[in-house]
Amino acid sequence: MNKIKLGIPKGSLQESTVELFKKAGFNIHISERSYKPTIDDSEIECLLIRAQEIPKYVEQGVLDAGLSGKDWIMETKADVEEVADLIYSKTGFGKVKLVIAVPEDSKIKSVKDLEGKRIATELVNVTKDYLKKNKVNAEVEFSWGATEVKVPELVDAISELTETGSSLRANKLRIVDTIIESTTKFIVNKKAMQDSWKKEKIQEIALLLNGALAAGSKVGLKMNIEKKNLNGLLTSLPSLKSPTISELYDKDWVAIETIIEEKIVREIIPKLKKAGAQGIVEYSLNKIIE
């Protein structure tokens, strides 16, 4: 049987990746001591691997495909094909940033002030490329973790990934500059994409993952309203396109169904009720396929 060898990122992205696949229709189970998760698709074989290592394994063909950050693809300089940009992170649906950070009272105010300084980071190559681009000579050393605690005693600055900046602030650090913004990428081995079966299977997975992400911040709303109040209600109802309006058995009433951003539901439902809507139902979405 044909199979796709798929790298699932171990660590900070692990939980959110499993949840994303669940919404896409794939149930992945990871046992405590196993690096071979099970998945309810006989055509996929999962391997649990650090995100830092996935790009090279995909490039070498050890994996057909995998999920890793743009930052690690750049760091490893892996020659892979990116088939989907999956904007999610360990805490939600957003991008992470690789930033230069220094102590709050540091005299370093810009990238030029890093001349001759020492910087600690996990992303050595990306940081060196950034310094080279800005014509700055500085020493960049690899950090095995807990990078925030190394300034100012061990290094002058750090190059660190952050989502919200809360960890940096907690360690009394401030951001000097952003090196790159990074999102999770669904990457594929180039030879695998030349195999017609693997290409089709990978494209199907990408379609479903993108659909799950598209639905992540949205909900569906259904309601009934008298036709005489319809125009007034529609001015209160944002939608992806146009709401679906259906005739009911009682010809004086119609049913409306639409999809909206979840964050505005609490504001819009009272307005809909005031406009005459009845039987308002909110429901969650797993996928939106355009």
Side-chain angles (χ1 to χ4, degrees):
M1 177 185 291
N2 287 323
K3 279 184 179 289
I4 294 292
K5 284 191 175 182
L6 178 66
I8 301 295
K10 177 179 173 59
S12 62
L13 278 177
Q14 180 177 317
E15 187 176 336
S16 53
T17 299
V18 171
E19 182 61 27
L20 175 61
F21 270 82
K22 183 177 181 180
K23 288 185 176 181
F26 303 96
N27 291 298
I28 297 174
H29 175 70
I30 302 174
S31 61
E32 190 174 335
R33 298 183 179 180
S34 175
Y35 285 83
K36 289 189 175 182
T38 59
I39 185 169
D40 60 348
D41 187 323
S42 60
E43 296 176 339
I44 302 175
E45 178 185 347
C46 292
L47 293 170
L48 191 64
I49 301 171
R50 284 167 60 87
Q52 295 92 321
E53 299 176 291
I54 286 177
K56 274 299 180 185
Y57 283 133
V58 171
E59 178 187 38
Q60 295 163 1
V62 177
L63 298 171
D64 294 307
L67 291 90
S68 186
K70 178 66 175 180
D71 49 319
W72 287 110
I73 300 169
M74 293 173 64
E75 176 67 17
T76 58
K77 303 185 187 300
D79 185 18
V80 294
E81 187 163 336
E82 299 176 8
V83 295
D85 186 21
L86 305 173
I87 303 178
Y88 76 99
S89 59
K90 64 182 179 181
T91 61
F93 302 98
K95 298 179 179 181
V96 297
K97 296 179 180 180
L98 179 65
V99 301
I100 294 290
V102 298
E104 290 175 345
D105 59 357
S106 172
K107 293 181 179 179
I108 297 172
K109 305 296 182 183
S110 71
V111 60
K112 298 299 183 183
D113 296 330
L114 294 170
E115 183 70 32
K117 304 298 184 182
R118 180 181 293 173
I119 305 167
T121 184
E122 284 189 84
L123 292 149
V124 172
N125 290 328
V126 176
T127 303
K128 284 183 175 179
D129 289 344
Y130 162 78
L131 293 170
K132 184 178 179 180
K133 178 182 176 181
N134 285 280
K135 298 179 180 179
V136 171
N137 293 306
E139 181 182 345
V140 181
E141 63 178 44
F142 179 75
S143 173
W144 292 96
T147 311
E148 296 101 326
V149 303
K150 295 184 177 180
V151 284
E153 287 82 2
L154 302 177
V155 295
D156 302 293
I158 62 171
S159 169
E160 182 75 347
L161 286 171
T162 182
E163 288 186 50
T164 64
S166 58
S167 178
L168 296 176
R169 290 190 294 271
N171 285 279
K172 297 184 178 179
L173 301 175
R174 61 175 167 81
I175 295 172
V176 173
D177 196 13
T178 298
I179 298 176
I180 58 167
E181 287 190 336
S182 178
T183 58
T184 305
K185 302 285 186 177
F186 186 29
I187 57 175
V188 182
N189 174 267
K190 290 190 171 181
K191 287 186 178 178
M193 286 299 279
Q194 294 173 8
D195 180 303
S196 59
W197 182 86
K198 288 184 177 181
K199 180 178 181 180
E200 183 176 359
K201 182 68 176 180
I202 287 165
Q203 289 176 334
E204 289 174 359
I205 297 170
L207 176 71
L208 295 170
L209 291 175
N210 276 320
L213 278 177
S217 62
K218 297 179 175 65
V219 295
L221 281 181
K222 294 196 286 189
M223 68 208 76
N224 299 328
I225 192 165
E226 285 187 275
K227 284 183 178 178
K228 65 181 181 180
N229 297 323
L230 180 59
N231 288 336
L233 180 139
L234 291 178
T235 61
S236 304
L237 191 63
S239 174
L240 289 179
K241 293 178 182 175
S242 297
T244 300
I245 302 173
S246 306
E247 291 273 353
L248 294 177
Y249 181 77
D250 184 336
K251 300 300 182 182
D252 292 328
W253 288 73
V254 292
I256 297 178
E257 187 165 3
T258 191
I259 296 171
I260 64 172
E261 292 288 337
E262 185 176 19
K263 63 185 179 183
I264 66 169
V265 167
R266 67 184 184 186
E267 299 174 8
I268 198 170
I269 285 182
K271 293 179 182 178
L272 297 175
K273 187 67 177 175
K274 287 181 180 178
Q278 296 185 15
I280 301 171
V281 177
E282 175 190 343
Y283 55 93
S284 60
L285 305 168
N286 279 332
K287 289 179 282 294
I288 297 176
I289 308 296
E290 296 289 351

